[in-house]
Amino acid sequence: MKNSNITRKDFLRNSVFGVAGLAVGSSFLNTATASTKTETDSEIKTLIGKNYTLKNVRLETGFEYDEGEVVRTKTELFCIEISDGKIKAISPNKPNASVIDAKGFLMLPAFRDMHIHLDKTFYDDWHAVKKRTGGVKGMIALEQQILPEMLKTSTQKAEKLIALLQSHGTSFARSHVNIEPTSKLQSLKNLQKALENKKNTFGAELVAFPQHGVFYTDSVPYLKEAAKMDIDFIGGLDPFSIDGAIEKTIDFTVQLALDNNKGIDIHLHESGESGVKTIDYLIAKVNENTNLKGKTFLSHCFALGKLDKTRQEEMAEKLSNAQIGIVSTVPFGNLIMPIPTLMKYGVNVMTGNDSIIDHWNTFGTGSVLQKANLAAQLYGQATEFGLSRMLKLATAGPIPLDDKGTQQWPKTGDKADLVFIDATCSAEAVSRMSPIRMLIHNGNIV
């Protein structure tokens, strides 16, 4: 803050109840007592603490149809009571109640970035990508040179990157974190510090990611050690092109996940026959070890985009039966991934920003709502119904209305991970990438 004479009470009142929101720079909250100038700090904390109520909250309630086509999304205003990080009650609106005013903004599930690298970024400094040679192995050589210097500030950089995600309505991320002989476990430890500092307003799950290959560089001992730490998934990278052996690498990854009760999330860029063989082999391993169903993911999975339509449908059905999800970063250059086909067969499809201002890519914005917008454009989802379905990519699953227009979110007891958007409905939010007005994580107003 430039004005050093402002009191803490004035700061709280202005940033939370009045002129400007801290994270998103826009007016949002107001109470009947905000202008009395008589509240104590403890009273302010009580209003925005573990228990509070919001009025004038816009929720989607159903679809309107014309000749069988969805032409509009119906909404109404409600009161939402938050208690201990959950939605305690949803009740008819009370516009005159002395509670926090949501001003008619649309409430949606908070966004989730399901593929990002929080542990290595130049973010808040500008570095264009250097001309790369040698493909992924060339980038591995580059990382071996630059990671020691990046690790010196990686905790602070991660915190700034998390703040960027929050400003775009995201309160949760799945972050891949380098586990390899250069950074060993330091990248993981540095990111865990950042997440600890942000724990009240941001959540994450971590993937122990052998960015330099499992066997191409000897990452095995570090992966085994990381698997016993506070991580959620065992990662992988192009088993054939990097490690030279699909079965050996997948077998190691699966066994490490089983031994430590972790999930699996493998980067698969290979778009040829080796990519298809990797998918098939992983499906077989998951079907053999059914406790991995619902806990196994393939990131990118570009091989699917090279298949003809019949084979895409066959593969989508196999992935769905094995409950293997696809985490896809949008766009994909000249490659058209079969996201609508995957969704049709019930495959869990999610998205994320992947790289944001790092040595791999400079185009990440921090917004997964933008990813939903790009997918809608790419696949021609321009109708009210189609746009509303694309919201799944930003929320990683939950959306307010099911395909028949029945309200399925929010429900009493749901986690209070909420984003408020200046839009009339989710279709408009996706189409216009509507402004984010407030973010709530685990009941805490960010």
Side-chain angles (χ1 to χ4, degrees):
M1 293 176 296
K2 293 181 179 179
N3 181 3
S4 59
N5 296 319
I6 192 169
T7 67
R8 180 174 179 275
K9 186 189 298 184
D10 287 338
F11 171 73
L12 281 170
R13 182 182 295 113
N14 289 336
S15 63
V16 178
F17 296 118
V19 179
L22 279 175
V24 295
S26 61
S27 173
F28 175 72
L29 300 176
N30 193 10
T31 69
T33 60
S35 62
T36 65
K37 303 184 184 302
T38 60
E39 319 94 304
T40 65
D41 283 356
S42 62
E43 287 171 333
I44 291 173
K45 288 179 181 177
T46 299
L47 278 170
I48 62 171
K50 290 186 175 182
N51 306 287
Y52 56 92
T53 299
L54 302 101
K55 66 180 180 181
N56 296 323
V57 175
R58 186 170 304 281
L59 297 179
E60 296 182 352
T61 58
F63 290 138
E64 285 188 7
Y65 295 85
D66 183 12
E67 296 182 352
E69 180 183 356
V70 176
V71 293
R72 196 175 77 86
T73 303
K74 295 185 288 187
T75 64
E76 295 179 28
L77 298 179
F78 293 85
C79 280
I80 305 292
E81 185 177 350
I82 307 296
S83 179
D84 295 323
K86 294 185 177 181
I87 296 175
K88 183 178 180 180
I90 304 167
S91 58
N93 196 38
K94 298 176 182 177
N96 296 321
S98 296
V99 295
I100 297 171
D101 189 358
K103 299 184 177 180
F105 294 132
L106 178 69
M107 188 176 93
L108 296 173
F111 301 148
R112 296 163 68 91
D113 189 309
M114 300 307 289
H115 187 108
I116 194 168
H117 297 263
L118 294 173
D119 66 318
K120 51 185 184 184
T121 178
F122 298 131
Y123 179 66
D124 89 336
D125 293 325
W126 169 249
H127 292 263
V129 170
K130 293 181 179 179
K131 186 176 181 180
R132 59 183 68 177
T133 58
V136 175
K137 287 185 176 180
M139 292 299 287
I140 290 172
L142 173 63
E143 281 205 359
Q144 290 168 332
Q145 296 175 22
I146 67 176
L147 279 177
E149 187 65 26
M150 293 182 75
L151 284 169
K152 294 177 182 178
T153 57
S154 65
T155 296
Q156 299 91 323
K157 294 284 188 181
E159 289 184 32
K160 291 179 180 179
L161 195 51
I162 289 169
L164 175 68
L165 299 183
Q166 290 173 316
S167 74
H168 287 291
T170 293
S171 75
F172 186 92
R174 178 184 296 174
S175 179
H176 298 259
V177 56
N178 268 42
I179 304 293
E180 25 68 17
T182 300
S183 52
K184 299 180 174 63
L185 300 176
Q186 197 58 51
S187 192
L188 172 59
K189 292 175 181 178
N190 288 0
L191 179 55
Q192 287 176 327
K193 288 179 186 177
L195 292 171
E196 175 65 22
N197 293 338
K198 292 281 190 177
K199 65 181 180 181
N200 291 327
T201 59
F202 193 80
E205 55 192 19
L206 301 180
V207 184
F209 178 46
Q211 175 71 79
H212 302 173
V214 175
F215 302 110
Y216 179 66
T217 64
D218 189 11
S219 299
V220 170
Y222 306 107
L223 287 168
K224 287 182 176 179
E225 191 172 351
K228 300 184 184 305
M229 298 172 67
D230 189 18
I231 60 116
D232 305 278
F233 295 86
I234 307 299
L237 174 68
D238 295 333
F240 181 78
S241 61
I242 300 300
D243 288 329
I246 295 171
E247 293 83 358
K248 181 181 178 182
T249 301
I250 295 296
D251 287 349
F252 169 83
T253 304
V254 167
Q255 195 59 53
L256 190 60
L258 291 170
D259 291 345
N260 294 277
N261 193 29
K262 307 297 185 183
I264 294 171
D265 193 336
I266 296 174
H267 285 57
L268 185 61
H269 306 95
E270 298 170 15
S271 58
E273 194 60 31
S274 64
V276 176
K277 287 181 178 179
T278 300
I279 300 168
D280 280 330
Y281 192 70
L282 183 62
I283 290 172
K285 296 298 290 186
V286 170
N287 286 333
E288 289 174 12
N289 302 278
T290 55
N291 55 333
L292 289 174
K293 288 190 172 186
K295 297 169 59 179
T296 301
F297 297 84
L298 284 164
S299 288
H300 308 303
C301 206
F302 293 143
L304 294 176
K306 294 288 189 176
L307 301 177
D308 61 43
K309 184 172 178 58
T310 299
R311 289 191 71 194
Q312 284 178 347
E313 297 208 351
E314 290 173 354
M315 191 65 81
E317 187 172 17
K318 289 163 65 176
L319 288 165
S320 179
N321 290 338
Q323 296 177 40
I324 296 175
I326 300 294
V327 191
S328 187
T329 50
V330 183
F332 336 94
N334 295 325
L335 189 67
I336 304 298
M337 288 290 290
I339 286 179
T341 299
L342 294 168
M343 287 181 165
K344 170 186 170 183
Y345 281 90
V347 177
N348 184 12
V349 180
M350 302 185 293
T351 192
N353 276 276
D354 199 358
S355 300
I356 297 180
I357 313 298
D358 64 15
H359 50 288
W360 290 83
N361 192 343
T362 63
F363 294 114
T365 64
S367 172
V368 287
L369 186 61
Q370 182 201 36
K371 298 292 185 179
N373 172 280
L374 289 170
Q377 293 187 60
L378 186 63
Y379 299 108
Q381 299 294 332
T383 65
E384 182 85 0
F385 180 79
L387 285 164
S388 71
R389 302 305 90 183
M390 287 294 103
L391 184 68
K392 294 177 183 178
L393 293 176
T395 66
I399 54 176
L401 304 178
D402 67 16
D403 288 354
K404 295 181 179 180
T406 302
Q407 189 183 60
Q408 58 184 0
W409 182 94
K411 301 290 186 186
T412 300
D414 286 348
K415 285 188 66 177
D417 292 341
L418 315 168
V419 63
F420 292 79
I421 297 187
D422 191 359
T424 61
C425 62
S426 57
E428 180 185 4
V430 170
S431 181
R432 296 184 174 181
M433 290 183 286
S434 302
I436 307 300
R437 296 307 187 195
M438 179 54 67
L439 179 65
I440 295 176
H441 174 72
N442 198 28
N444 298 311
I445 298 174
V446 181

